[in-house]
Amino acid sequence: GQGTGNSPAIWCAISSVLFDTYEDKAHGAKFYSPDLSTTATVYMVGFVDDTSGSTNDFLSPVRHPDTHYHGLATQDAQRWNDILKLSGGALEDSKCSYHFVKYSFTSDGIPVLSSGVSPSPISIHFNNSDTEIPLRQLPNTTPHKTLGTYKSPSGNPKASYKPILARNDFHCKVVARSPLNRKDAWSYYHAIYLPSITYPFPSQCLSDIQCNTLQRNIKQVILPKYGWARNTPEAVVYGSAEYGGLEFRTLSVEKSASQITALMKCLRTPGVAQDLAKVAISWAQLIAGTGISIFQDTHTPLPHLYPMMWLPSIR
């Protein structure tokens, strides 16, 4: 095997100290509910060597030039680089990127996310070098991969769907080219395919059409391995074994269940995740403009909630 058994404990001991040191001086990103009753501050979110920082100026009464926000982000990025260097680590400049989220508003007050690249990049001294190296800025429609998931500020579901579709096609090819018997096919579907495809579902906003495309493709190649015809009725394919079904999973249901589970975990766990969830829900409720919770009344169309993506997709 790879690695050592005590690596997770060592990582927690070291990284926790590094994150605390960073938070003492970093600007971070603060988010407030509309009535300012709930506040959430995000400094650094990380798992092993995969970290992501955020910077904003939420309550500023005026709109500052872009250079102001670039300055805050540059200071935080340089601070994290220096802390890693002192601990014996280092940033890899080729793996560093950022999004600059900027909105403009129409005459009707509709927010429009800027899709271009800011002319003034964020540059830092990597690993105490004398030369400033600019970080790679991604357009707000281009997703960034974090812990196996692809997310972009625009929330474009097509961009995050492409890598999932590619992974789904890979599994289809593996199944089609492998001499699997019925038991092997069952094990592959439940133990390999489903965890691989549904892993990013809690943070994604896939449509039912996209989910149906994924499950249709894998169904066509794996059903013959089960000993069933490709055109077996869906009631049998997705039905319960108690009634003679094969118990294939409906991916749209898996997606919705994983999103609801993720939201409930955030709301029931005290901390930053809970505060962020409360802030996001309170703003969504304010924008909805209804006296009933958007999660209680799920039938009334609320098209004005978009381009907000994740919360409306749970309704």
Side-chain angles (χ1 to χ4, degrees):
Q2 297 186 38
T4 57
N6 62 349
S7 293
I10 294 176
W11 175 83
C12 287
I14 296 176
S15 294
S16 295
V17 175
L18 298 184
F19 289 161
D20 291 341
T21 303
Y22 175 79
E23 290 181 11
D24 285 341
K25 299 295 182 180
H27 297 285
K30 294 180 174 62
F31 303 93
Y32 300 83
S33 60
D35 60 356
L36 304 182
S37 62
T38 305
T39 304
T41 304
V42 179
Y43 292 100
M44 182 69 68
V45 178
F47 183 78
V48 190
D49 61 345
D50 200 339
T51 57
S52 175
S54 303
T55 305
N56 72 355
D57 195 357
F58 195 94
L59 294 181
S60 176
V62 297
R63 167 74 188 185
H64 295 288
D66 293 353
T67 53
H68 168 74
Y69 304 100
H70 283 144
L72 297 179
T74 299
Q75 293 175 23
D76 282 359
Q78 187 66 61
R79 183 171 290 109
W80 180 243
N81 172 84
D82 297 344
I83 292 174
L84 279 182
K85 183 64 177 178
L86 290 174
S87 68
L91 283 177
E92 177 62 45
D93 59 331
S94 62
K95 297 182 180 180
C96 296
S97 63
Y98 70 97
H99 288 104
F100 183 70
V101 182
K102 178 181 178 181
Y103 285 90
S104 58
F105 296 86
T106 65
S107 58
D108 296 330
I110 299 176
V112 179
L113 178 64
S114 171
S115 59
V117 176
S118 176
S120 52
I122 297 175
S123 302
I124 65 172
H125 296 274
F126 279 95
N127 305 320
N128 296 333
S129 65
D130 296 331
T131 305
E132 282 191 347
I133 300 177
L135 302 182
R136 178 168 54 97
Q137 182 180 356
L138 300 176
N140 289 325
T141 54
T142 301
H144 170 73
K145 183 180 180 181
T146 301
L147 295 178
T149 65
Y150 291 80
K151 302 294 292 182
S152 67
S154 67
N156 182 6
K158 293 182 179 179
S160 57
Y161 173 65
K162 287 182 179 179
I164 299 178
L165 180 61
R167 193 180 309 133
N168 192 79
D169 292 342
F170 168 78
H171 286 296
C172 291
K173 292 178 181 178
V174 170
V175 172
R177 298 169 181 175
S178 301
L180 303 178
N181 57 35
R182 182 174 300 178
K183 183 178 179 180
D184 294 337
W186 187 94
S187 299
Y188 188 93
Y189 179 77
H190 288 278
I192 298 177
Y193 172 77
L194 283 177
S196 173
I197 295 299
T198 60
Y199 165 75
F201 276 13
S203 64
Q204 303 297 337
C205 306
L206 301 182
S207 65
D208 289 347
I209 295 177
Q210 291 172 329
C211 290
N212 291 337
T213 299
L214 296 175
Q215 65 188 29
R216 182 180 65 248
N217 293 347
I218 190 66
K219 184 183 69 171
Q220 292 296 313
V221 296
I222 206 169
L223 274 180
K225 305 295 183 179
Y226 269 72
W228 290 77
R230 288 188 173 90
N231 57 351
T232 300
E234 292 191 354
V236 176
V237 176
Y238 300 104
S240 170
E242 183 179 357
Y243 298 100
L246 298 178
E247 289 194 340
F248 276 43
R249 303 298 174 84
T250 304
L251 293 185
S252 59
V253 175
E254 294 294 313
K255 183 261 299 184
S256 298
S258 62
Q259 287 180 306
I260 294 173
T261 302
L263 180 60
M264 294 303 298
K265 285 181 178 179
C266 291
L267 291 175
R268 293 181 177 181
T269 306
V272 176
Q274 182 187 79
D275 295 335
L276 280 175
K278 289 181 177 179
V279 168
I281 292 174
S282 62
W283 278 105
Q285 189 66 53
L286 177 66
I287 296 173
T290 61
I292 303 177
S293 169
I294 59 175
F295 297 124
Q296 182 177 354
D297 176 14
T298 59
H299 300 289
T300 301
L302 299 174
H304 52 288
L305 275 183
Y306 296 89
M308 187 180 292
M309 299 293 295
W310 195 77
L311 287 176
S313 70
I314 300 179
R315 295 182 71 235

